[in-house]
């Protein structure tokens, strides 16, 4: 069942739970290049995109949105446009007059003022006076937020412009981070500050998004936001996306894991799949994820056998959220919270060692007689005939509700999927099982096929899903943004060069980012970063620390190699 949301009108599109899920993408052409923007927008629209976003980093770019908009209309295209604003409320005021929707980022909408005030926030509070000072500074920032945001909402109201409050994990203000940390809770609180201003001023034409390059962070943040909005009587539509998903199959699987889990739970009214590829290539992937997760609403709401509803998914607190780390032999740190590493991927029963195996095909099997056969060492294999997120979760719920805490392996029969006509098997598997591993509900993934030509692909798929869920790192993990008008170098070429140079380092996470808007933040848990700095220059990071600035682009890969080796 779709989560009920109010209707937001964006040009000729109605965004609501009663409407089909909307697919969108974003231009990566310079916003001052009117012809290039119009041509790329047309390619997105003709691929099936229903909303097109452009960056407007300054007032000059925001003014040119008028020309882009009018030229598209002159050529017969009525698809609504959305402006993407960071750091510049003045640009947002201009853009709101020319396009159907404006996205603002709570992390930087009021500029750097909050960050300048954050020296007091960052001070360790050991006395009542210091705590009072922090609270006073926090209140000052909230007042400044209202002073900047309210006039913008007034302009949007006058022009019928919708607003997206788009919070990114990588660009939270220091004020928010000082109180909540770089966590899902921090993302939610940053968003709610702006939503409350909308609610107080009666502005309802609002869409909300919480994004991260980490699937688990994104899933947890959106669930927590929904809970918080429901508690305060807000039903704004939700935009879903995994930022910096990357390119190729890795980017597609990562997007399917994050977006698919939430769509399966009825959350999401519009999606964007962020790939480091031509933006029109995002559209077919997004449409397939929607098709897989919303198959004609034929699947009934899942009820446990005890007659109660499935309990809401608990959201970890800030202290519980961050998984422990392990230290790989290379010396690089990465997340690995599930201790069952040796059973992360199985290809046959022999991989489950010598423990007894119990395969369950349906919920009805889980009765007292079956429970009595389960020993402490029994490994439970969930093997339903239907690949369905809710079926797996129901089986897990019933087992847990009966006190069974054994290791669980999720089994997927891809031959049956193929025979049933599923064309996008890899996306389907990622959409339906990825969320189980993001929630740490299972210990292993067993993808079964009798086709020898599929064996290696299915092994790779299972590893990609578990790596996307943040459980294990089987190969070098690359995150990269899709690029936009702010990107001043060939991002796809940069990603290709970085991958070619460092794909042999399986324990590392390397970020390739187009600019500073999300770069340093989204790659906060990456081991190394390659971030565009403009004018053919690149900044290199080790963790969160910039170690080389303004490196010439043609020398950046070799410089990064030296940073890694040293």
């Amino acid at each position: 069942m779709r989560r009920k949301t109010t209707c937001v009108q964006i040009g000729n599109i109605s965004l609501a739970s009663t409407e089909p899920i909307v697919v969108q993408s974003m231009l990566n052409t310079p916003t001052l290049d009117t012809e290039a923007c119009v041509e790329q927008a047309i390619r997105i629209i003709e691929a099936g995109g229903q909303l097109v976003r452009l960056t407007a980093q300054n007032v000059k770019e925001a003014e040119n949105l008028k020309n882009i908009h009018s030229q598209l209309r002159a050529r017969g295209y009525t698809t609504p446009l959305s402006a993407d604003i960071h750091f510049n409320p003045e640009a947002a005021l201009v853009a709101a007059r020319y396009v159907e929707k404006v996205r603002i980022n709570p992390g930087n909408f009021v500029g750097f003022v909050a960050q300048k005030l954050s020296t007091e926030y960052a001070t360790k509070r050991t006395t009542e006076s210091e705590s009072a000072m922090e609270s006073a500074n926090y209140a000052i920032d909230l007042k400044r937020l209202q002073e900047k945001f309210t006039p913008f909402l007034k302009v949007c109201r006058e022009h019928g412009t919708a607003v997206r409050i788009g919070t990114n994990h990588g660009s939270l203000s220091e004020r928010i981070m000082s109180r909540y940390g770089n966590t899902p809770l921090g993302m939610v609180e940053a968003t709610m500050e702006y939503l409350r201003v909308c609610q107080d001023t009666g502005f309802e034409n609002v869409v909300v998004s919480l994004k991260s390059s980490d699937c688990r962070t994104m899933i947890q943040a959106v669930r927590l936001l929904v809970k918080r909005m429901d508690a305060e009587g807000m039903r704004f539509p939700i935009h879903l996306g995994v930022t910096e998903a990357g390119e190729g199959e890795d980017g597609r699987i990562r997007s399917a894991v994050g977006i698919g889990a939430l769509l399966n739970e009825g959350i999401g009214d519009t999606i964007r799949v962020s790939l480091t590829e031509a933006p029109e290539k995002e559209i077919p992937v997004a449409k397939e994820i929607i098709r897989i997760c919303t198959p004609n609403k034929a699947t009934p709401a899942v009820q446990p056998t005890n007659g109660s509803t499935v309990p809401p998914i608990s959201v970890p607190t800030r202290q519980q959220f961050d998984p422990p780390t392990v230290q790989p032999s290379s010396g690089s740190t990465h997340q690995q919270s599930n201790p069952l590493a040796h059973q992360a991927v199985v290809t046959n029963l022999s991989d489950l060692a010598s423990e007894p195996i119990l395969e369950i095909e349906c919920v009805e099997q889980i009765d007292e007689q079956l429970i009595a056969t389960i020993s402490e060492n029994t490994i439970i294999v969930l093997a339903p005939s239907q690949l369905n997120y809710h079926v797996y979760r129901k089986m897990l719920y019933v087992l847990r509700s009966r006190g069974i805490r054994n290791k669980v392996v999720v089994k997927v029969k891809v031959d049956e999927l193929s025979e049933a006509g599923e064309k996008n098997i890899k996306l389907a598997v990622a959409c339906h099982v990825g969320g189980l591993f993001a929630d740490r509900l299972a210990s292993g993934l067993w993808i079964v096929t009798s086709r020898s030509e599929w064996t290696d692909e299915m092994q790779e798929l299972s590893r990609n899903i578990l790596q996307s869920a943040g459980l294990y790192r089987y190969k070098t993990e690359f995150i990269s943004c899709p690029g936009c008008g702010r990107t001043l170098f060939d991002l796809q070429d940069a990603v290709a060069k970085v991958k070619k140079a460092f794909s042999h380092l399986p324990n590392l996470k390397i970020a390739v980012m187009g600019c500073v808007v999300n770069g340093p933040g989204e790659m906060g848990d990456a081991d190394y970063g390659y971030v565009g700095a403009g004018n053919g220059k690149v900044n290199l990071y080790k963790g969160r620390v910039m170690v080389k600035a303004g490196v010439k682009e043609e020398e950046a890969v070799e410089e990064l190699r030296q940073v890694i080796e040293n």
Side-chain angles (χ1 to χ4, degrees):
M1 301 291 291
R2 286 271 295 278
R3 172 182 176 268
K4 185 177 180 181
T5 58
T6 54
C7 183
V8 170
Q9 199 64 35
I10 309 170
N12 56 8
I13 287 180
S14 297
L15 200 64
S17 55
T18 54
E19 302 290 334
I21 296 169
V22 170
V23 173
Q24 58 179 282
S25 184
M26 184 173 182
L27 305 185
N28 59 20
T29 46
T31 308
L32 292 177
D33 189 338
T34 304
E35 183 177 354
C37 288
V38 169
E39 293 298 329
Q40 192 173 77
I42 290 172
R43 291 196 293 273
I44 291 172
I45 295 166
E46 293 186 344
Q50 299 162 280
L51 180 64
V52 176
R53 184 155 50 111
L54 310 83
T55 185
Q57 58 266 50
N58 296 304
V59 170
K60 189 175 181 181
E61 283 83 0
E63 290 285 0
N64 199 50
L65 294 173
K66 180 179 181 180
N67 297 324
I68 296 168
H69 192 279
S70 63
Q71 287 203 25
L72 278 169
R73 299 298 176 265
R75 294 178 64 169
Y77 294 93
T78 59
T79 301
L81 301 183
S82 176
D84 195 65
I85 307 294
H86 295 273
F87 304 111
N88 200 329
E90 287 71 27
L93 288 169
V94 173
R97 293 173 166 84
Y98 301 133
V99 295
E100 288 80 8
K101 180 182 175 188
V102 176
R103 177 272 177 104
I104 62 98
N105 184 342
N108 55 42
F109 184 74
V110 294
F112 294 103
V113 176
Q115 294 185 21
K116 289 178 181 177
L117 288 173
S118 69
T119 51
E120 286 88 354
Y121 302 141
T123 302
K124 184 177 180 180
R125 299 188 301 277
T126 57
T127 68
E128 290 185 7
S129 61
E130 288 173 335
S131 180
M133 179 183 294
E134 188 269 353
S135 297
N137 286 328
Y138 207 94
I140 290 171
D141 262 8
L142 287 178
K143 183 178 180 181
R144 185 173 286 107
L145 181 161
Q146 294 172 337
E147 291 172 349
K148 286 284 187 180
F149 192 47
T150 302
F152 166 67
L153 292 180
K154 181 180 179 182
V155 172
C156 289
R157 193 192 308 273
E158 292 171 354
H159 290 81
T161 306
V163 173
R164 171 157 71 99
I165 298 173
T167 302
N168 282 5
H169 186 224
S171 56
L172 296 179
S173 70
E174 291 189 24
R175 175 176 60 83
I176 287 291
M177 289 182 64
S178 70
R179 180 170 284 194
Y180 303 103
N182 195 26
T183 63
L185 180 60
M187 296 169 69
V188 170
E189 292 299 332
T191 306
M192 291 301 296
E193 290 178 350
Y194 282 77
L195 289 180
R196 290 179 187 122
V197 175
C198 293
Q199 193 173 56
D200 291 344
T201 58
F203 188 89
E204 299 181 349
N205 218 27
V206 181
V207 182
V208 192
S209 71
L210 277 74
K211 295 188 178 184
S212 172
S213 60
D214 180 90
C215 292
R216 193 182 190 207
T217 299
M218 172 262 201
I219 293 168
Q220 300 280 19
V222 173
R223 287 173 178 162
L224 181 56
L225 174 70
V226 167
K227 182 183 282 189
R228 188 66 56 82
M229 286 200 301
D230 287 351
E232 298 193 25
M234 300 177 184
R235 289 284 177 178
F236 300 117
I238 293 180
H239 169 137
L240 298 179
V242 177
T243 62
E244 288 80 46
E247 49 88 51
E249 184 171 320
D250 290 353
R252 285 159 172 78
I253 297 304
R254 187 176 290 137
S255 296
V257 168
I259 297 172
L262 293 167
L263 286 183
N264 276 314
E265 294 170 15
I267 298 171
D269 303 286
T270 178
I271 73 171
R272 191 255 173 124
V273 173
S274 299
L275 301 175
T276 311
E277 301 176 22
E280 61 268 23
K281 291 187 177 181
E282 298 176 350
I283 303 302
V285 184
K287 293 172 76 173
E288 279 300 289
I289 291 174
I290 292 171
R291 179 191 65 78
I292 289 164
C293 297
T294 55
N296 303 318
K297 301 297 180 186
T299 304
V302 174
Q303 300 289 331
T305 54
N306 64 5
S308 65
T309 58
V310 175
I313 300 161
S314 62
V315 178
T317 64
R318 174 178 169 184
Q319 289 75 22
Q320 295 170 326
F321 182 78
D322 292 328
T325 58
V326 296
Q327 199 72 15
S329 57
S330 69
S332 168
T333 299
H334 68 269
Q335 295 178 350
Q336 184 168 315
S337 63
N338 192 318
L340 306 171
H342 62 288
Q343 291 170 355
V345 180
V346 294
T347 54
N348 54 57
L349 288 178
S350 64
D351 290 334
L352 296 178
S354 58
E355 307 294 351
I357 306 298
L358 175 63
E359 189 161 319
I360 303 176
E361 295 184 346
C362 63
V363 171
E364 288 71 24
Q365 284 182 262
I366 310 174
D367 55 19
E368 295 303 323
Q369 184 176 356
L370 180 137
I371 297 293
T373 68
I374 300 175
S375 69
E376 183 180 348
N377 297 325
T378 300
I379 293 175
I380 297 172
V381 176
L382 302 183
S385 59
Q386 181 184 16
L387 176 67
N388 186 284
Y389 179 80
H390 299 285
V391 172
Y392 284 115
R393 290 193 77 99
K394 181 177 180 180
M395 296 172 79
L396 284 161
Y397 170 75
V398 173
L399 285 168
R400 300 314 186 212
S401 68
R402 298 200 175 191
I404 304 301
R405 296 289 185 269
N406 294 53
K407 301 171 185 177
V408 172
V409 171
V410 172
K411 184 177 181 180
V412 180
K413 307 166 188 176
V414 293
D415 293 359
E416 294 179 10
L417 286 178
S418 178
E419 291 166 5
E422 178 57 63
K423 302 296 184 185
N424 287 279
I425 290 174
K426 293 180 181 180
L427 279 185
V429 175
C431 283
H432 283 291
V433 307
L436 306 177
F437 294 97
D439 286 340
R440 308 304 191 249
L441 296 177
S443 308
L445 176 57
W446 181 18
I447 303 180
V448 182
T449 179
S450 61
R451 303 185 186 187
S452 58
E453 70 272 19
W454 282 7
T455 302
D456 290 344
E457 285 188 68
M458 293 305 109
Q459 178 82 352
E460 182 67 14
L461 172 62
S462 57
R463 290 180 170 179
N464 279 345
I465 290 172
L466 296 181
Q467 184 154 322
S468 295
L471 272 170
Y472 309 96
R473 193 173 296 161
Y474 298 97
K475 58 185 179 182
T476 316
E477 184 166 342
F478 296 95
I479 62 171
S480 57
C481 67
C484 66
R486 293 184 295 267
T487 306
L488 300 178
F489 66 98
D490 188 333
L491 193 57
Q492 292 184 54
D493 180 64
V495 171
K497 289 190 293 187
V498 171
K499 278 191 168 185
K500 182 178 179 180
F502 305 112
S503 290
H504 63 291
L505 303 172
N507 288 322
L508 294 185
K509 183 174 184 179
I510 301 175
V512 183
M513 314 300 282
C515 71
V516 299
V517 169
N518 295 322
E522 285 293 353
M523 67 181 201
D525 65 340
D527 299 293
Y528 299 96
Y530 179 112
V531 180
N535 299 317
K537 302 293 178 66
V538 174
N539 295 337
L540 302 179
Y541 286 73
K542 184 174 183 179
R544 293 179 177 271
V545 179
M546 185 168 66
V547 292
K548 293 194 176 184
V551 178
K552 292 181 180 179
E553 189 181 344
E554 58 269 22
E555 300 172 2
V557 170
E558 185 56 38
E559 291 282 345
L560 181 57
R561 189 192 312 276
Q562 293 178 22
V563 170
I564 293 173
E565 289 177 352
N566 295 331

